[in-house]
Amino acid sequence: MTVLGVLRRSGPALIGGAVVGVWLACALFAPLLAPYDPLKSYSPLISPGGLSPDGMRFWLGTDLLGRDILSRLIHGARTVVVWAGLATLSAYVVGLAAGLLAGFYRGWVDTVLSFVANTVLSFPVLVLYIVIIVSIGASAANIVIAVTFASAPAIFRIVRALTIDLRSRDFVAAAITQGESDWRIMLVEILPNASGPLVVDVCLRLGYTAITIGVLGFLGLGLPPPTPDWGGMINDGRAMAIAFPHLVVFPCIAISSLMLGLSLLADGLREIANAGPGGGEG
Amino acid sequence: MKRYIAIKLGEMILVMLAVSFIVHVALELNVGDVAAKVLGQFSTAAQRQVWLKENGYLDPFLVRYFRWLGHFIVGDWGQSLRFRTEVISLIGPRLAATGILAAATLLVTVPIALLLGIAAGVREGSLLDRGITVFSVLTTSIPEFASAVFLSAVFVFWLGLLPGASTMTAGFSPAELVLPVMVLSLYTAGYLARMTRSSMIEAMASPYVRTAMMKGASLPRIVFRHALRNALIAPITVIMLQIPWLLSGVIVVEVFFAYKGFGTLLFEAALNSDIYLIEACAMVGVVVVVVTQLISDMLYTWLNPRISFRDVGRREGGA
């Protein structure tokens, strides 16, 4: 079944998929879509739709340094998609491995891993990010490390619960009797059957990670300056926001629409999985 | 039940130990910067070295950790490097300020969210239900800093009705509390309304509600007398579990509106590698999180006597 075929079964999934698709297209084709160079300074603080002295039109205006906001938003989509994607992937690798191990073997492995996860989770997440980023420095790679550390425990919990449930099923017992290796059972028998709920979680987590990158940028702990980054744009424009709201309103719309798209997609996929036959195989 | 609480508190102490250790390790990575921050960027390397030695930063890592731990347990929480006062005297007022913010948020959120959720859940699929669902999807998708920007654009920039900062420099002012509370409430209300809606739908479909309907009971009687009590179990426990989350959201909102609460305190402490202050804030944070979990579990069993404390433990361990 094609991706579109699945999405067509639910309204929210279709709308969410479309919004996410638009931002993905922006990320992929940023240099083609952006009307101007996102790093070049034209004329500072033009309001949305205004003209620069030499007759160029800026649909969303320009920022304090005279850079085109629309171009920065489009290039910023690339930053968000790449780094939120990598950070989520990295958190998933850790969370999946730990969750499968804990759920499959139980015993002391489970006790230790669960304690670590609960410890991390009983700490306000944002504080964790701030402490980590302040001590290892603000860079894209460090954001990936911080997100992995802070969200792998939540993924771990979901995977662990799913694994415990699937572990008791007959097909796993059959695989054990056949003498399949533990890793093969975890990756080939259990993981594909757990993928339904996990796909929904991936959508939401991508959104949370995008927001986290935005929040860190907003707090001045995000990607280093010239990079077009939505959160960083909000932070840069914050001091002037009372006089020039367009500096901060557009990046906020961008990040909210991406999160909205992803949560609609997640809702829709959950709906499809609950309703349709074969939805569980995702 | 006493046993359950004792186990929970024991776990809390273990978690506090682990968290404080992690914070020490994380800050260990750039211990040299501390002297630079305290003495200023024009201090010489030799001066920084002397300061580090005098303040015990050159002792082995574990020695420093256990010294901090020993002092912390007897109530000596150390000096803040940033504010140059006792850490313990900083935390109280800031925590109270955030408490006011959180209490106001819950006071606004809970009635609105429960009402919306109940109204939506009573008639699933009605126009009202759809409207409320759209509202809650919207508000839960907009991050706090974005809704802070939107709301200040409307109320501060266009309408000029509210102050854009909440510094409370001229004493306590309720007007300055409005925007931060609105921002925090929007997200929480949407989330809680969704939760109430789905458990209300479940309750309305249950056999005892169908029986009540067939008896000819009026709709208000069915909703308030029969469905509500069971439908509220999930949302009420969720309200309590929202509090730790509120703590994270509070940082963004407090920083945005320059509100002098616990969130900004922690943010400044983290930015300045102010280790004793971070540790103290972290410990307070863990206590708040664990105590609210505990209260949430107790409310859960009180509202639903079919579940015993042993099951609560299993609920957490199993799923």
Side-chain angles (χ1 to χ4, degrees):
Chain A
M1 207 185 298
T2 61
V3 178
L4 199 66
V6 174
L7 293 186
R8 265 176 52 189
R9 284 200 271 156
S10 145
L14 204 59
I15 300 171
V19 174
V20 175
V22 167
W23 284 121
L24 273 180
C26 283
L28 271 176
F29 307 113
L32 300 175
L33 292 170
Y36 298 103
D37 180 348
L39 301 181
K40 200 177 156 203
S41 174
Y42 295 93
S43 178
L45 294 172
I46 298 173
S47 19
L51 291 167
S52 72
D54 41 358
M56 290 188 283
R57 191 170 291 283
F58 293 91
W59 290 110
L60 300 184
T62 56
D63 68 4
L64 211 64
L65 299 176
R67 297 170 297 192
D68 177 37
I69 290 182
L70 179 60
S71 305
R72 284 181 74 72
L73 280 185
I74 294 174
H75 279 270
R78 178 173 275 196
T79 319
V80 165
V81 168
V82 168
W83 291 110
L86 278 178
T88 310
L89 182 71
S90 153
Y92 249 89
V93 169
V94 175
L96 269 179
L100 282 171
L101 285 173
F104 190 79
Y105 290 113
R106 304 302 298 271
W108 66 269
V109 182
D110 188 19
T111 313
V112 171
L113 287 174
S114 293
F115 178 72
V116 173
N118 286 342
T119 307
V120 178
L121 286 175
S122 64
F123 205 59
V125 194
L126 192 53
V127 179
L128 211 59
Y129 286 127
I130 296 172
V131 170
I132 297 174
I133 294 293
V134 166
S135 52
I136 63 180
S139 75
N142 287 349
I143 288 178
V144 172
I145 295 175
V147 169
T148 305
F149 187 74
S151 57
I155 300 168
F156 161 82
R157 274 198 176 177
I158 302 171
V159 176
R160 174 181 171 275
L162 288 168
T163 309
I164 289 173
D165 176 33
L166 291 168
R167 173 92 172 74
S168 60
R169 302 285 178 84
D170 287 343
F171 62 86
V172 173
I176 293 173
T177 327
Q178 275 183 0
E180 284 182 19
S181 73
D182 290 351
W183 273 112
R184 198 185 140 79
I185 295 173
M186 281 185 249
L187 295 178
V188 179
E189 309 285 349
I190 294 179
L191 192 55
N193 283 293
S195 63
L198 291 183
V199 167
V200 174
D201 182 67
V202 166
C203 289
L204 287 176
R205 208 154 296 281
L206 270 173
Y208 296 147
T209 310
I211 288 183
T212 302
I213 295 177
V215 169
L216 289 173
F218 163 79
L219 292 174
L221 301 171
L223 301 166
T227 328
D229 160 42
W230 295 346
M233 290 170 75
I234 298 167
N235 188 40
D236 294 342
R238 204 148 60 90
M240 311 279 290
I242 296 300
F244 301 95
H246 75 275
L247 296 177
V248 289
V249 167
F250 294 120
C252 283
I253 293 177
I255 200 164
S256 306
S257 68
L258 179 64
M259 181 68 215
L260 187 64
L262 284 165
S263 56
L264 283 176
L265 192 59
D267 274 3
L269 287 176
R270 196 180 293 138
E271 208 175 89
I272 292 171
N274 289 344
E281 281 129 44
Chain B
M1 181 168 152
K2 271 191 193 130
R3 193 166 158 259
Y4 175 74
I5 294 174
I7 291 174
K8 263 284 175 194
L9 293 180
E11 267 179 29
M12 178 176 90
I13 289 166
L14 271 180
V15 169
M16 285 169 84
L17 284 172
V19 167
S20 64
F21 192 76
I22 293 173
V23 171
H24 255 83
V25 171
L27 294 170
E28 180 68 15
L29 295 170
N30 49 2
V31 115
D33 288 3
V34 177
K37 278 195 175 115
V38 172
L39 299 175
Q41 49 178 325
F42 296 114
S43 54
T44 63
Q47 284 172 322
R48 290 179 192 172
Q49 211 58 23
V50 169
W51 186 89
L52 285 174
K53 197 168 169 59
E54 274 178 1
N55 288 279
Y57 279 91
L58 298 180
D59 296 338
F61 173 69
L62 285 177
V63 172
R64 272 183 293 134
Y65 175 69
F66 283 108
R67 188 167 53 208
W68 169 81
L69 191 63
H71 287 211
F72 186 83
I73 291 170
V74 297
D76 172 12
W77 291 8
Q79 290 269 329
S80 159
L81 299 172
R82 161 117 180 117
F83 298 95
R84 321 247 160 159
T85 48
E86 287 286 320
V87 163
I88 216 161
S89 67
L90 281 168
I91 292 201
R94 295 297 196 104
L95 207 56
T98 297
I100 294 173
L101 196 58
T105 303
L106 288 180
L107 270 178
V108 173
T109 307
V110 173
I112 294 179
L114 291 186
L115 264 176
L116 287 180
I118 292 166
V122 166
R123 291 229 167 94
E124 194 192 354
S126 66
L127 204 63
L128 185 68
D129 176 33
R130 278 164 192 273
I132 289 169
T133 308
V134 169
F135 165 79
S136 64
V137 170
L138 261 178
T139 56
T140 45
S141 295
I142 300 176
E144 288 99 352
F145 62 85
S147 50
V149 163
F150 296 145
L151 290 175
S152 3
V154 173
F155 290 101
V156 183
F157 179 70
W158 281 310
L159 300 178
L161 284 177
L162 293 168
S166 312
T167 46
M168 306 277 172
T169 32
F172 182 79
S173 134
E176 292 185 4
L177 211 56
V178 175
L179 275 179
V181 168
M182 256 165 105
V183 172
L184 285 170
S185 306
L186 261 186
Y187 185 97
T188 321
Y191 184 69
L192 201 59
R194 267 179 111 168
M195 195 79 197
T196 314
R197 172 183 174 269
S198 57
S199 59
M200 196 68 200
I201 289 174
E202 206 177 301
M204 290 302 284
S206 61
Y208 60 86
V209 167
R210 214 175 315 143
T211 311
M213 277 179 187
M214 284 191 289
K215 270 188 349 193
S218 67
L219 189 67
R221 193 181 151 83
I222 292 173
V223 171
F224 291 105
R225 175 126 186 106
H226 297 279
L228 202 56
R229 182 168 167 164
N230 275 305
L232 282 187
I233 294 172
I236 283 182
T237 47
V238 165
I239 294 171
M240 295 310 295
L241 296 178
Q242 282 287 296
I243 289 175
W245 176 87
L246 217 62
L247 218 59
S248 270
V250 139
I251 297 178
V252 172
V253 173
E254 286 184 1
V255 169
F256 189 94
F257 292 107
Y259 183 78
K260 284 199 166 41
F262 191 67
T264 39
L265 183 68
L266 226 176
F267 181 60
E268 275 181 70
L271 276 188
N272 292 288
S273 308
D274 193 342
I275 182 155
Y276 300 122
L277 190 52
I278 299 178
E279 286 285 17
C281 290
M283 295 302 99
V284 171
V286 172
V287 170
V288 170
V289 171
V290 176
V291 168
T292 46
Q293 275 174 0
L294 200 60
I295 295 175
S296 156
D297 283 345
M298 285 158 102
L299 272 174
Y300 195 73
T301 46
W302 180 67
L303 283 167
N304 192 353
R306 284 168 299 186
I307 288 174
S308 72
F309 264 95
R310 230 177 301 139
D311 294 324
V312 173
R314 209 173 292 147
R315 172 172 71 114
E316 272 190 348

